[in-house]
């Protein structure tokens, strides 16, 4: 499924249509959007260098990590980026987004260079121009196109309102030279309307669902993080494609995150998923040193036990002998409490060695003033 | 000196060389259980005589004498470390930030300058500690949580540009979740390691003073070679003694 996303970003949109756009959604419990972005970045870069992509350049806009982080990552994947590379440009909105650092600069580094510093991320019009200018530096002003990757829009949304950010992304999609576009978002940091608005703009949405959902859906994201399983780097990667005719296609994979990044694989069989889910020990059980789980046999035996209540939830009431019935009734009623069933003619047969006990109190009315010793002939 | 590794050290990956380099650690505590002892333990580790690391400490909560007294009992002399230029203690109680964004910006530039000076004389790890983030918001009068988050973002750039570590302490129970639900989450998202100090579910106890949950998110390794493990959650209990802290799993005997 991740390959499908990559292919759509690589191939871009058709002429006259808006560029395909991807939103990568992460949460506090599944904070792996950076891994997905790096995966797409590496694949897009490789395809651009191999000449297999509709776009001939990539503009990377960094908000959450430094440009050197991504350049080092690409180098580890065998993609060496130097100052003379003409297929990639980095717009650095991470190092000094608000202009706090004293540097002799007018706001955006002038002149062609691999990394351009942006010191005013709240000016979205200027940011848009910077992205387009960086792209045109690589591919020129003609019909050749370039892709745009924004590592995170969380910081953008902190400094600018949702309509302005939405406008920026739509403007980028609408530009004739932008071939494709993707960004990431942490849905726990924003209101639902923000997430929905960004989903409306995108043609693809990818979200990461951990294998260990919270036992109580009403808990907030912070509580969910500390209730996560010991090893919470696994889950499902869902992708939702909006097709041109209006249909929606959803595909899923399993993901596993390690030091090298995100690894995607087809969903395993239902039984193994259920077994994997059942093997996730809740936090409480993880803390104690005795078994809280029931085996199948124990569960069946437990269900067979009849509780000493008259109403057993099976549609009919059950009479439980309580030792306070009359003598006449006692002759025809059962004594064993565990069965809870009526038996007839218990007294006459004497079979089976039963002991039938009739309480003295059966002969008396409640709250009687009679001395129980009055019947003694002393 | 005691070089034994305890459960907190293992959870933080301190059994590996320079595990916190370039990382952000967030300590969360509450009224019932203070997380200051975690900060003190990390101070002691950074200023250990077995390392040459440096520490820049922004003190908003207490004066130098308090930390000096506490660390002395743990076997660490802060005055000596100050003299040796391994400790830069910024007493924010005596300083006053101006009441706008430029106050926190100026504070960051001072920290950046200090990091630059230290980096010019040592290649060892530099740790920036803040005690605590809620008081930073108050110190910069009329500041708001956005400025604090901006400050944190810029400190985050120090972890990548200058390979520093950032350790902050925050009280998670003083913010109404209805007013600013994203503020605490922003800090959690920024952190690579989150340490939560909270009381036991059963309440107060004489021999167990609380529990720690350590979430070590790690990060995709942009550097070649071995990386620390990712996405690990560990929970254990602790007991604060006169001269140190004991950490143990529930139900296990303590040393």
């Amino acid at each position: 499924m991740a390959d499908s996303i990559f292919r759509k970003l690589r191939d871009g949109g058709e002429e006259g249509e808006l560029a395909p756009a991807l939103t990568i959604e992460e949460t506090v419990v599944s904070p792996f959007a950076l891994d997905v972005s790096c995966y797409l970045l590496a694949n897009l870069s490789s395809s651009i260098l191999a000449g297999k992509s509709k776009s001939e350049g990539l503009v990377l806009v960094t908000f959450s990590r430094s440009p050197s982080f991504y350049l080092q990552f690409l180098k580890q994947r065998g993609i060496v980026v130097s100052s003379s590379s003409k297929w990639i440009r980095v717009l650095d909105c991470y190092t000094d987004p608000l202009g706090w650092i004293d540097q002799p600069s007018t706001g955006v580094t002038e002149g062609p260079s691999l990394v351009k510093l942006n010191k005013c991320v709240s000016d979205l019009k200027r940011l848009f121009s910077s992205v387009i200018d960086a792209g045109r530096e690589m591919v020129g002003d003609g019909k050749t196109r370039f892709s745009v990757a924004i590592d995170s829009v969380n910081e953008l949304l902190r400094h600018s309102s949702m309509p302005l950010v939405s406008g920026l992304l739509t403007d980028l999609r609408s530009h004739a030279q932008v071939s494709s576009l993707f960004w990431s978002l942490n849905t726990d940091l924003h209101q639902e309307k923000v997430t929905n608005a960004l989903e409306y703009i995108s043609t693809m949405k990818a979200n990461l669902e951990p294998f260990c959902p919270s036992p109580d859906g009403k808990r907030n994201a912070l509580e969910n993080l500390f209730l996560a399983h010991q090893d919470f780097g696994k889950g499902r990667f869902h992708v939702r494609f909006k097709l041109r005719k209006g249909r929606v296609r959803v595909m899923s994979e399993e993901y596993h995150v390690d030091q090298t990044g995100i690894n995607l694989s087809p969903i395993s069989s239902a039984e193994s998923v259920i077994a994997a889910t059942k093997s996730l020990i809740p936090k409480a059980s993880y803390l104690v040193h005795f078994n809280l789980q029931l085996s199948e046999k124990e569960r069946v035996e437990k269900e067979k036990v009849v509780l000493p209540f008259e109403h057993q939830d099976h549609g009919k009431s059950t009479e439980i002998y309580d030792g306070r019935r009359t003598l006449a009734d006692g002759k025809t009623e059962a004594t064993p409490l565990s069965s809870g069933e009526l038996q007839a003619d218990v007294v006459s047969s004497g079979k089976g060695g039963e002991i039938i006990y009739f309480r003295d109190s059966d002969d008396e009315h409640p709250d009687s003033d009679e001395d129980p010793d009055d019947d003694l002939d002393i | 000196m005691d070089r034994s590794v305890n459960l907190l050290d293992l959870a933080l990956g301190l059994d590996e060389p320079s595990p916190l380099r370039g990382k952000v650690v967030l300590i969360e505590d509450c009224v019932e259980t203070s997380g200051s002892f975690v900060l003190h333990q990390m101070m002691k580790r950074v200023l250990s005589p077995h390392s040459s690391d440096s520490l820049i400490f922004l003190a908003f909560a207490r004066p130098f004498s308090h930390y000096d007294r506490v660390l002395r009992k743990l076997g660490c002399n802060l005055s000596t470390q100050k003299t040796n230029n391994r400790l830069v203690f910024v007493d924010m109680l005596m300083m006053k930030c101006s009441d706008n964004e430029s106050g926190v910006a100026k504070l960051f530039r001072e920290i950046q300058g200090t990091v630059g000076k230290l980096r010019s004389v040592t290649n060892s790890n530099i740790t920036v500690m803040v005690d605590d983030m809620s008081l930073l918001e108050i110190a910069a009068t009329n500041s708001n949580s956005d400025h604090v988050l901006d400050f944190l973002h810029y400190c985050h750039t120090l972890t990548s540009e200058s390979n520093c570590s950032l350790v902050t302490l925050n009280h998670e129970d003083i913010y109404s979740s209805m007013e600013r639900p994203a503020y605490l989450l922003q800090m959690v998202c920024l952190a690579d390691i989150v340490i939560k100090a909270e009381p036991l579910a059963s309440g107060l106890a004489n021999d167990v003073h609380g529990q720690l949950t350590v979430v070590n998110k790690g990060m995709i390794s942009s550097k070649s070679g071995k990386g620390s493990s990712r996405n690990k959650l560990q929970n254990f209990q602790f007991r604060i003694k006169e001269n140190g802290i004991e950490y143990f799993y529930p139900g296990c005997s303590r040393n």
Side-chain angles (χ1 to χ4, degrees):
Chain A
M1 303 342 84
D3 281 341
S4 304
I5 299 174
F6 155 64
R7 281 194 293 273
K8 286 198 182 290
L9 293 174
R10 178 197 64 190
D11 298 340
E14 294 186 9
E15 204 161 332
E17 291 197 359
L18 297 186
L22 165 70
T23 300
I24 305 167
E25 291 180 359
E26 66 172 5
T27 64
V28 169
V29 187
S30 57
F32 310 121
L34 177 64
D35 298 85
V36 178
S37 298
C38 287
Y39 169 87
L40 293 172
L41 187 67
N43 281 290
L44 268 177
S45 301
S46 298
S47 66
I48 289 171
L49 283 171
K52 294 180 182 176
S53 171
K54 287 270 178 77
S55 60
E56 294 187 14
L58 174 68
V59 176
L60 174 60
V61 187
T62 66
F63 282 94
S64 66
R65 291 288 182 273
S66 67
S68 56
F69 170 85
Y70 294 103
L71 298 180
Q72 183 69 27
F73 170 79
L74 288 174
K75 184 180 175 184
Q76 262 200 305
R77 297 295 184 274
I79 303 167
V80 179
V81 180
S82 66
S83 53
S84 58
S85 297
K86 293 183 180 175
W87 62 273
I88 186 170
R89 288 290 181 269
V90 183
L91 210 54
D92 181 3
C93 300
Y94 165 81
T95 305
D96 189 14
L98 303 173
W100 283 11
I101 301 174
D102 298 326
Q103 274 183 4
S105 169
T106 55
V108 176
T109 309
E110 305 295 340
S113 62
L114 175 63
V115 179
K116 293 182 187 298
L117 183 66
N118 187 316
K119 295 165 75 75
C120 187
V121 296
S122 55
D123 187 346
L124 296 191
K125 284 187 180 172
R126 193 164 191 178
L127 182 60
F128 172 78
S129 304
S130 303
V131 172
I132 301 302
D133 291 343
R136 283 175 170 167
E137 260 181 41
M138 295 183 291
V139 302
D141 293 344
K143 289 193 174 181
T144 317
R145 304 205 278 179
F146 57 92
S147 295
V148 179
I150 304 175
D151 69 350
S152 168
V153 296
N154 296 321
E155 288 290 316
L156 261 182
L157 287 165
R158 217 164 54 74
H159 295 295
S160 303
S161 66
M162 180 61 224
L164 290 177
V165 173
S166 178
L168 167 71
L169 296 174
T170 305
D171 289 343
L172 284 171
R173 281 192 71 201
S174 308
H175 197 276
Q177 286 189 277
V178 174
S179 169
S180 59
L181 172 63
F182 72 85
W183 60 81
S184 75
L185 170 80
N186 190 311
T187 55
D188 286 332
L189 298 180
H190 308 285
Q191 294 176 326
E192 199 176 338
K193 62 180 182 181
V194 171
T195 309
N196 293 339
L198 288 178
E199 285 182 21
Y200 270 114
I201 302 172
S202 18
T203 55
M204 297 175 282
K205 183 196 85 170
N207 70 297
L208 297 146
E209 178 194 359
F211 270 152
C212 46
S214 62
D216 179 0
K218 293 178 186 171
R219 288 185 191 275
N220 61 38
L222 208 53
E223 289 172 348
N224 286 343
L225 175 64
F226 293 105
L227 288 173
H229 187 252
Q230 279 179 279
D231 183 3
F232 57 93
K234 297 176 186 174
R236 290 267 178 101
F237 180 68
H238 302 289
V239 181
R240 185 184 171 95
F241 297 92
K242 281 189 219 172
L243 304 178
R244 192 181 304 144
K245 292 183 181 176
R247 278 180 55 203
V248 170
R249 189 173 71 197
V250 179
M251 302 165 86
S252 300
E253 282 182 308
E254 284 183 4
Y255 74 83
H256 165 66
V257 174
D258 59 23
Q259 286 84 353
T260 59
I262 192 167
N263 302 290
L264 297 157
S265 57
I267 291 179
S268 44
S269 65
E271 289 79 14
S272 63
V273 170
I274 293 169
T277 310
K278 278 187 176 174
S279 71
L280 296 176
I281 306 171
K283 186 182 176 187
S285 299
Y286 156 68
L287 293 176
V288 300
H289 298 274
F290 46 87
N291 185 21
L292 290 178
Q293 312 295 325
L294 284 177
S295 67
E296 189 61 29
K297 186 184 173 189
E298 285 170 339
R299 194 183 56 78
V300 169
E301 293 296 325
K302 184 182 172 186
E303 283 174 3
K304 283 183 186 171
V305 170
V306 178
L307 299 172
F309 309 124
E310 287 188 356
H311 300 286
Q312 296 285 340
D313 261 350
H314 49 44
K316 51 185 178 180
S317 64
T318 304
E319 288 187 47
I320 308 292
Y321 179 66
D322 60 0
R324 285 189 172 272
R325 302 299 168 86
T326 62
L327 187 63
D329 290 340
K331 286 182 181 178
T332 56
E333 284 183 354
T335 44
L337 202 63
S338 57
S339 66
E341 292 178 354
L342 297 176
Q343 290 182 9
D345 297 328
V346 175
V347 180
S348 57
S349 65
K351 290 179 183 175
E354 286 180 324
I355 297 174
I356 301 168
Y357 172 71
F358 298 103
R359 288 165 56 94
D360 291 339
S361 58
D362 287 344
D363 299 324
E364 293 179 0
H365 295 293
D367 300 325
S368 170
D369 289 332
E370 277 188 351
D371 187 347
D373 294 327
D374 279 352
D375 59 343
L376 295 175
D377 189 15
I378 299 173
Chain B
M1 272 292 173
D2 177 24
R3 293 199 67 190
S4 60
V5 177
N6 55 43
L7 286 180
L8 179 60
D9 294 336
L10 285 173
L12 294 175
L14 292 182
D15 51 336
E16 298 171 13
S18 302
L20 296 183
R21 199 158 193 160
K23 287 199 177 166
V24 178
V25 180
L26 170 66
I27 304 167
E28 281 193 348
D29 68 357
C30 54
V31 167
E32 293 92 355
T33 308
S34 170
S36 298
F37 72 92
V38 180
L39 209 62
H40 303 149
Q41 291 286 303
M42 296 187 76
M43 286 175 76
K44 180 189 168 188
R45 278 284 176 191
V46 169
L47 298 175
S48 161
H50 300 283
S51 83
S52 53
D53 295 349
S54 307
L55 174 63
I56 301 172
F57 195 92
L58 299 182
F60 290 89
R62 292 177 182 88
F64 176 79
S65 54
H66 166 82
Y67 299 99
D68 191 26
R69 206 170 296 126
V70 170
L71 269 291
R72 264 181 209 274
K73 287 189 177 177
L74 299 179
C76 180
N77 190 324
L78 290 188
S79 301
T80 307
Q81 303 296 350
K82 269 179 82 174
T83 310
N84 295 340
N85 292 323
R86 283 189 67 191
L87 169 65
V88 177
F89 190 90
V90 184
D91 193 342
M92 297 302 300
L93 290 171
M94 306 299 292
M95 293 172 59
K96 191 80 174 167
C97 290
S98 60
D99 53 354
N100 51 29
E101 186 190 350
S102 65
V104 287
K106 185 183 168 196
L107 177 62
F108 168 73
R109 284 193 289 271
E110 285 179 16
I111 297 170
Q112 187 190 34
T114 307
V115 168
K117 285 177 193 167
L118 284 171
R119 188 54 81 212
S120 64
V121 297
T122 177
N123 204 26
S124 302
N125 192 38
I126 301 170
T127 301
V128 178
M129 277 191 188
V130 183
D131 182 16
D132 57 63
M133 294 305 299
S134 60
L135 293 173
L136 167 64
E137 190 176 348
I138 296 170
T141 324
N142 289 341
S143 180
N144 58 41
S145 58
D146 277 339
H147 295 158
V148 174
L149 291 172
D150 293 337
F151 176 80
L152 269 181
H153 172 88
Y154 273 86
C155 288
H156 190 274
T157 65
L158 288 178
T159 64
S160 53
E161 300 301 312
S162 307
N163 236 357
C164 298
S165 307
L166 176 65
V167 181
T168 62
L169 174 68
N170 196 28
H171 310 306
E172 60 113 9
D173 54 352
I174 61 174
Y175 301 100
S176 166
S177 60
M178 296 299 293
E179 291 170 2
R180 289 183 293 184
Y183 174 66
L184 285 173
L185 290 175
Q186 291 268 10
M187 298 180 72
V188 169
C189 289
L190 205 63
D192 298 299
I193 301 173
V194 183
I195 305 173
K196 183 173 179 181
E198 55 188 335
L200 297 179
S202 49
L204 292 174
N206 284 335
D207 51 350
V208 180
H209 298 153
Q211 56 178 326
L212 287 182
T213 305
V214 182
V215 178
N216 195 332
K217 291 189 276 177
M219 203 174 61
I220 183 172
S221 176
S222 63
K223 299 186 173 86
S224 57
K226 295 177 188 175
S228 56
S229 57
R230 288 186 72 179
N231 310 317
K232 294 293 179 191
L233 182 145
Q234 295 186 55
N235 178 277
F236 43 89
Q237 297 174 347
F238 64 87
R239 177 169 172 249
I240 301 175
K241 300 192 303 185
E242 187 64 23
N243 298 324
I245 315 290
E246 271 182 14
Y247 304 99
F248 43 88
Y249 290 117
C252 294
S253 60
R254 298 182 293 279
N255 293 332

